[in-house]
Amino acid sequence: MESVPHPLPGFATGVGVRASLQFLNSAQAHQIAEENMKDSRTFSATVDGEAITFETGKLAGLAGGAVTVRQGDTVILATATMARQPREGIDFFPLSVDYEERLYAGGRIPGSFFRREGRPSEAAILISRLVDRPLRPLFPKDMHNDVQVIVTSLSSDAEHPIDILAINGASAAMMISDVPFYGPVGAVRIGRIEGDLVVNPTYGQMDASRSDLDLRIAGTADAILMVECGANEVPEDVMVQALLKGHQALQSMIAVQNEMRAQVGKPKNESYPRFGIADDVRSRVTERINSRIRDILINLYDKDARNEALDVLEEELVTEFAEYFDARHVKEAFHDRLKIEVRERILSGGIRPDGRGPTDIRPLGAEVDLLPRAHGCGLFTRGETQVLSAATLGTARDAQELDGLAPVDEKRYMHHYNFPPFSTGEARPLRGQSRREVGHGALAERALAPVLPSMGEFPYTIRVVSEVLSSNGSTSMASVCGSTLSLMDAGVPIKAPVAGIAMGLVSDGERYRILTDIQGMEDHLGDMDFKVAGTAKGITALQMDIKIKGLTAHLLKEALEQARVARLQVLDVMRSAIAEPRPELKPHTPRILTIKINPDKIGAVIGPGGKMVRSIQDETGATIDIQEDGTIYIAAIGGPSADAARAKIELLTESPELGRIYSGKVVRTTDFGAFVEIMPGVDGMVHISQLADYRAPNVESVVKVGDEVMVMVTDIDTNGKIRLSRKAVLEGMTVDEARESDVRRGGGGGSRGGRGPRRQGGDERPRRR
């Protein structure tokens, strides 16, 4: 029977109004589904022999551009949409990029109280930033319309990482949308497994025990735009090879996006309101201030004095031209001229805004042990940049639990970076941790991770907090140095100290200068922000954002070598403050003892409902963490507390040894002997003939329930029954002599009364309580 359309009152009906509510029969629904599928198009690229598939036209049809990207069983949806009208009252391009991590993609339910995704995790924020960085430089500078990119995880196979797919998907969505975009951008990951560079390795291949490099690279057909890297002391020449291999490998991602643009791309919206400044504004401003800007740069190397003079000049211009030009255009023309003058002085004479040469590092300072109660503390200063890092050591239970799609469920080392407004001389509300703070903290964390001892070598959870106290460029690299100082001050046996340096670049296409230790103005006005961290042996972390079109292998090699030389200088200063990790932990640091027990005996330590482990903690003051493999971590501020807890655990978990003498407690007596508890929950039987060094008339004449007696284990049979002898202790017998003198009369080890029916002759099997 065919259903009849039944529009609700107030809803339009007719051709083209697909939003009206109707009841459809299966044939009608199938017809609509087929119509929707007609616009679906699939494109494919091959990277190192594995296919990556792009599909558009099937999902999210109302977005400006929507693309699903699939590799293996990992699938993401990327959308790009531009607002129709510009945002009023702003002088910047409002781009927002968000990665939405959905745990259903991995077949999981979120672990929060509400059982739904909440605020973005640290991993989600880092992916959002990773996608944002290569896209942002490729939009028109005179556009103020909001552009929003949203990447959503739809499926995750825990083998193919989402981050690289997210960059490629976001760029593809932008390419086929109506948003003006000077792309495309391609991205790949490079690992190094057994010395060989591998493109887009899986999570299994990227295991730390196999790969010593995790390099993510994004760029256009001609240039590298973004690099994010963690490495295990990889040499500079290997890093250059990896960067070049990555740029070559991402060309297939560029090609498939160009194909998508040609076949299904929408016309670009070129009618957006433009906010660029007119040529007459630029020429009038240049004519008015050109010589004055030059004089300020030549005569004022102090940052505060220079900035004050520039601010005064800018306000004079705004006032002078207020009648003729918009203040925003005047300010933009002023800053454009300032940029030209600063860059020309660097290119022509190698003179930087503060008077340094291209390879000069600002004055360095390093101190440790500033905070009396911190487990470790380091203060690092580079020019006007100052970072205070504090290390805290905790137990295994302090590790951070991760609830995400990546196959990592906890993190033992955490680095948190805080950037308060006073560090730049500003006053603004505190709104919690920003994305930038998360990103800088993760970079410093990545830099130190390769040199940390394993949990077996150093059984502590480690947290370092870096407080930026003053900022004029490269606070993330200063926090790397401060973290190293704090860990060494805490007594963490790191393999080698790690230092970081930020490199810059100024280029006009023909001339270039690589700058060591860039400050804020050089970062803002330059062409590259290249952060390099590592030991004296090699690189441990790398982050690079480039604004120019083209970065040659020669330039890359030169920048890395210049960074290496600077890093060694910084390491020398750090070693002057503390040459190596302290041999001992500080007095107020928890001491952690590690013991290993049979996993079958974990229950004996925990006890019913956790009663036993709680009682040990209450009695000793120690904190006990029990792992599934039988590893037990015992932490206490005082050494004796940890030793006492270890003794109690060892007593609970040890097995009786033949010939060993124990001090036990009589827990039950019978006509034929006494049952003595030699360990918590473990007892054996002393036959009446073995109670004394004379013939005892009865058991009660020698021992009573509750008495403490010394006994030797003379036999443990295949069923675990324990035979004890008090006589052997009194007469100083060996275990063989004790066995020979022990006249058995049907006796044996036994369990206590109330544990079940006794066997004939008292032949009862002992068991743990």
Side-chain angles (χ1 to χ4, degrees):
M1 179 177 177
E2 193 173 42
S3 60
V4 180
H6 182 68
L8 295 177
F11 279 77
T13 59
V15 177
V17 186
R18 192 172 289 181
S20 60
L21 301 180
Q22 303 180 42
F23 294 105
L24 302 176
N25 62 26
S26 59
Q28 290 171 319
H30 184 70
Q31 182 179 358
I32 291 175
E34 284 187 339
E35 290 176 359
N36 291 337
M37 289 293 290
K38 288 179 182 178
D39 296 330
S40 177
R41 296 289 301 275
T42 300
F43 303 83
S44 183
T46 301
V47 180
D48 203 39
E50 185 165 6
I52 298 178
T53 304
F54 295 74
E55 184 177 5
T56 185
K58 184 175 182 179
L59 303 180
L62 297 183
V67 174
T68 58
V69 186
R70 176 171 181 166
Q71 185 180 19
D73 283 343
T74 295
V75 183
I76 61 100
L77 168 67
T79 62
T81 307
M82 183 176 77
R84 292 190 176 92
Q85 299 298 324
R87 196 192 300 184
E88 297 295 334
I90 62 172
D91 58 358
F92 60 91
F93 169 53
L95 170 69
S96 64
V97 178
D98 293 284
Y99 166 62
E100 298 292 310
E101 186 176 51
R102 303 294 190 231
L103 292 192
Y104 61 71
R108 295 172 51 192
I109 295 174
S112 67
F113 177 80
F114 296 102
R115 289 294 187 266
R116 69 173 297 166
E117 290 84 0
R119 66 180 184 178
S121 65
E122 180 179 295
I125 290 173
L126 294 177
I127 291 179
S128 297
R129 284 174 53 85
L130 199 71
V131 175
D132 182 297
R133 285 163 47 204
L135 298 183
R136 190 170 290 274
L138 300 180
F139 292 93
K141 294 181 179 179
D142 59 354
M143 186 174 76
H144 290 174
N145 297 55
D146 280 273
V147 173
Q148 185 176 42
V149 175
I150 299 176
V151 179
T152 307
S153 57
L154 300 181
S155 177
S156 174
D157 59 10
E159 275 296 310
H160 298 90
I162 284 174
D163 49 6
I164 295 301
L165 301 183
I167 299 173
N168 289 300
S171 175
M174 201 71 70
M175 287 296 292
I176 66 172
S177 74
D178 61 341
V179 182
F181 179 63
Y182 305 138
V185 168
V188 295
R189 172 182 258 103
I190 302 293
R192 192 171 78 142
I193 302 171
E194 297 178 356
D196 296 326
L197 296 175
V198 179
V199 180
N200 284 349
T202 63
Y203 277 122
Q205 291 174 306
M206 286 303 298
D207 183 88
S209 62
R210 301 188 61 192
S211 178
D212 60 1
L213 177 67
D214 182 9
L215 170 67
R216 290 165 289 180
I217 177 173
T220 63
D222 303 319
I224 297 172
L225 290 176
M226 185 278 299
V227 172
E228 191 80 21
C229 174
N232 189 3
E233 299 183 285
V234 170
E236 279 74 9
D237 59 338
V238 173
M239 190 64 71
V240 172
Q241 295 173 25
L243 288 168
L244 295 178
K245 184 178 182 68
H247 190 243
Q248 181 181 7
L250 62 79
Q251 297 301 321
S252 60
M253 295 290 96
I254 301 290
V256 72
Q257 292 179 59
N258 283 327
E259 182 185 357
M260 294 174 69
R261 172 67 189 156
Q263 296 191 27
V264 299
K266 297 177 182 178
K268 293 298 183 182
N269 182 355
E270 300 294 344
S271 62
Y272 60 87
R274 285 166 167 77
F275 290 86
I277 59 177
D279 290 340
D280 58 338
V281 179
R282 197 183 304 276
S283 62
R284 290 283 299 277
V285 169
T286 300
E287 179 183 350
R288 176 72 178 78
I289 65 167
N290 202 31
S291 61
R292 292 186 63 183
I293 283 184
R294 193 172 298 121
D295 289 341
I296 291 172
L297 294 176
I298 292 173
N299 297 312
L300 297 176
Y301 290 139
D302 178 74
K303 173 190 169 186
D304 292 335
R306 181 179 66 244
N307 287 345
E308 184 178 352
L310 291 172
D311 289 343
V312 169
L313 180 56
E314 183 180 19
E315 288 303 317
E316 286 181 13
L317 282 174
V318 170
T319 302
E320 181 176 339
F321 292 120
E323 186 178 347
Y324 309 103
F325 305 125
D326 185 286
R328 287 183 301 171
H329 293 171
V330 174
K331 290 182 178 181
E332 186 175 345
F334 172 81
H335 286 284
D336 285 350
R337 193 64 221 171
L338 174 63
K339 179 177 180 178
I340 291 170
E341 288 295 332
V342 170
R343 292 167 62 88
E344 180 57 32
R345 280 173 56 79
I346 292 173
L347 287 170
S348 60
I351 304 173
R352 299 164 68 174
D354 59 359
R356 284 184 292 150
T359 61
D360 293 339
I361 303 175
R362 290 170 289 175
L364 300 172
E367 297 180 54
V368 295
D369 202 19
L370 281 78
L371 307 179
R373 295 299 296 180
H375 296 162
C377 177
L379 179 69
F380 183 79
T381 306
R382 183 192 289 124
E384 291 179 306
T385 294
Q386 185 181 64
V387 174
L388 176 70
S389 296
T392 307
L393 305 181
T395 64
R397 70 174 62 177
D398 293 315
Q400 181 183 4
E401 295 183 5
L402 303 178
D403 193 16
L405 294 176
V408 180
D409 55 10
E410 74 171 20
K411 186 162 64 172
R412 173 196 168 217
Y413 169 58
M414 299 159 279
H415 180 267
H416 297 148
Y417 166 101
N418 295 319
F419 190 85
F422 64 76
S423 65
T424 54
E426 298 174 302
R428 54 179 168 80
L430 296 174
R431 302 297 189 198
Q433 193 177 39
S434 68
R435 285 187 172 189
R436 178 181 177 277
E437 288 172 300
V438 172
H440 280 24
L443 176 60
E445 181 178 292
R446 193 179 307 120
L448 271 297
V451 301
L452 293 175
S454 67
M455 193 69 174
E457 296 170 309
F458 191 71
Y460 287 87
T461 294
I462 305 167
R463 180 185 185 230
V464 176
V465 179
S466 290
E467 306 283 359
V468 178
L469 304 182
S470 179
S471 172
N472 184 17
S474 190
T475 54
S476 63
M477 294 297 94
S479 68
V480 170
C481 301
S483 296
T484 297
L485 293 170
S486 69
L487 291 172
M488 295 172 74
D489 184 50
V492 179
I494 60 174
K495 299 173 185 175
V498 179
I501 196 77
M503 309 298 292
L505 173 72
V506 174
S507 173
D508 62 2
E510 296 181 359
R511 301 173 296 170
Y512 72 88
R513 294 273 188 180
I514 297 171
L515 307 178
T516 297
D517 180 27
I518 57 174
Q519 56 183 320
M521 178 179 280
E522 294 165 337
D523 186 7
H524 177 65
L525 301 179
D527 298 318
M528 177 177 75
D529 180 13
F530 192 6
K531 302 181 179 74
V532 187
T535 66
K537 182 179 177 182
I539 296 169
T540 58
L542 193 77
Q543 187 180 86
M544 180 169 64
D545 294 298
I546 300 173
K547 306 171 189 175
I548 59 174
K549 293 182 177 180
L551 196 62
T552 65
H554 172 75
L555 198 151
L556 273 172
K557 186 175 182 180
E558 186 177 340
L560 286 170
E561 176 58 24
Q562 197 166 312
R564 186 189 69 83
V565 173
R567 188 170 75 241
L568 295 179
Q569 294 180 43
V570 177
L571 285 170
D572 286 341
V573 173
M574 293 167 59
R575 288 193 186 96
S576 68
I578 181 167
E580 58 186 19
R582 296 190 186 279
E584 297 291 336
L585 304 179
K586 294 189 177 180
H588 43 273
T589 302
R591 267 52 177 178
I592 296 183
L593 301 177
T594 304
I595 61 174
K596 187 84 172 180
I597 66 170
N598 188 328
D600 294 340
K601 297 185 178 181
I602 290 176
V605 179
I606 296 175
K611 180 179 178 181
M612 182 61 70
V613 70
R614 283 198 302 270
S615 69
I616 296 173
Q617 292 181 129
D618 291 342
E619 291 175 17
T620 63
T623 300
I624 299 171
D625 289 308
I626 304 173
Q627 308 297 308
E628 292 182 358
D629 64 352
T631 302
I632 299 180
Y633 300 107
I634 307 167
I637 296 296
S641 296
D643 291 335
R646 178 171 60 181
K648 288 180 177 293
I649 292 172
E650 289 176 344
L651 194 61
L652 284 170
T653 58
E654 69 176 328
S655 299
E657 296 180 23
L658 194 65
R660 183 172 173 179
I661 297 173
Y662 295 88
S663 175
K665 182 179 180 180
V666 178
V667 293
R668 185 163 64 92
T669 61
T670 65
D671 292 342
F672 52 81
F675 291 88
V676 178
E677 184 183 54
I678 58 173
M679 298 179 207
V682 177
D683 50 70
M685 195 198 76
V686 185
H687 191 267
I688 189 172
S689 65
Q690 298 299 308
L691 273 175
D693 52 0
Y694 58 89
R695 183 177 183 83
N698 55 67
V699 172
E700 292 287 337
S701 68
V702 182
V703 295
K704 295 181 174 57
V705 173
D707 287 352
E708 295 284 342
V709 293
M710 300 289 289
V711 291
M712 177 190 287
V713 176
T714 59
D715 188 42
I716 304 173
D717 71 9
T718 55
N719 294 320
K721 292 185 293 183
I722 302 169
R723 187 82 170 186
L724 304 173
S725 172
R726 181 170 177 261
K727 178 181 178 180
V729 177
L730 295 173
E731 296 186 357
M733 298 180 181
T734 64
V735 65
D736 292 332
E737 292 171 340
R739 281 178 164 179
E740 191 173 337
S741 72
D742 185 4
V743 180
R744 295 181 179 272
R745 293 190 176 90
S751 62
R752 305 178 187 174
R755 294 301 180 100
R758 277 196 299 172
R759 301 175 185 175
Q760 290 294 325
D763 188 12
E764 298 178 279
R765 180 179 177 179
R767 56 184 177 181
R768 286 192 186 277
R769 289 174 296 172

